[in-house]
Amino acid sequence: MDIMNFIGLFLLLSGCIIGLGAVTVIDIHGFLGRKSEYWTEATIRTHKVTKPLIWVGMVLAVIGGMIWYRHEPFVGVPVIHAIIAAILMLNGIFLSFQVSPFLLQQEKEGKAGSLLPKALQRKIVVSLIISDLGWWGGVLLLVYYLVK
């Protein structure tokens, strides 16, 4: 057994598990919060936990992927995984530096239970779709790579 392959795959899978789990939780909250003040407030509170977990998952997955694919040419599955990671990071930057500060401000002003503006809701829905497709697509691609 190659210990580096073991470590790389372990980190890659761990990152996917942590990241996808956190994304799933916040996406469900966000979906429910579109029309519910209760779930809007729950989403604002929950995102303080899920946001760092998503970033931890991303870092672990990227490091694991770099180790796992270290002997592979940068074509096919490794390059698609890299593209997915880049898209997810850009999406995460938007959420972390645009949406999250707005949510925290809402909470600070005592408006955590207020529905979000429709324009922001639309952006969040697009971001949710990107997150789900990216994380699930990355897992699907890894499974494909492992069984091919």
Side-chain angles (χ1 to χ4, degrees):
M1 172 196 337
D2 180 351
I3 191 70
M4 289 305 288
N5 279 347
F6 178 85
I7 291 169
L9 185 57
F10 177 77
L11 291 175
L12 179 54
L13 288 172
S14 297
C16 288
I17 291 165
I18 293 168
L20 184 54
V23 162
T24 302
V25 168
I26 198 61
D27 285 354
I28 290 170
H29 276 77
F31 181 78
L32 295 172
R34 293 175 308 115
K35 298 182 180 179
S36 164
E37 293 174 352
Y38 172 85
W39 286 107
T40 298
E41 184 170 355
T43 302
I44 289 173
R45 303 231 197 282
T46 302
H47 102 280
K48 292 181 217 172
V49 175
T50 57
K51 182 175 68 171
L53 285 174
I54 293 166
W55 282 111
V56 166
M58 178 57 62
V59 168
L60 289 174
V62 167
I63 291 170
M66 290 170 62
I67 296 168
W68 177 248
Y69 293 123
R70 72 191 182 285
H71 297 305
E72 294 289 322
F74 195 59
V75 295
V77 172
V79 77
I80 296 170
H81 262 151
I83 291 168
I84 290 171
I87 291 168
L88 287 174
M89 283 188 243
L90 290 173
N91 192 50
I93 288 168
F94 164 72
L95 290 168
S96 294
F97 296 105
Q98 295 290 319
V99 175
S100 181
F102 181 85
L103 298 179
L104 295 173
Q105 186 63 35
Q106 288 280 102
E107 182 181 48
K108 184 178 180 181
E109 294 173 1
K111 300 177 187 174
S114 301
L115 294 180
L116 300 179
K118 292 291 183 192
L120 183 59
Q121 283 190 29
R122 284 190 292 276
K123 291 176 185 176
I124 291 171
V125 166
V126 170
S127 182
L128 175 150
I129 292 167
I130 291 169
S131 291
D132 287 338
L133 289 176
W135 282 100
W136 281 108
V139 170
L140 181 68
L141 197 58
L142 179 59
V143 170
Y144 166 79
Y145 179 85
L146 291 173
V147 300
K148 72 173 172 87

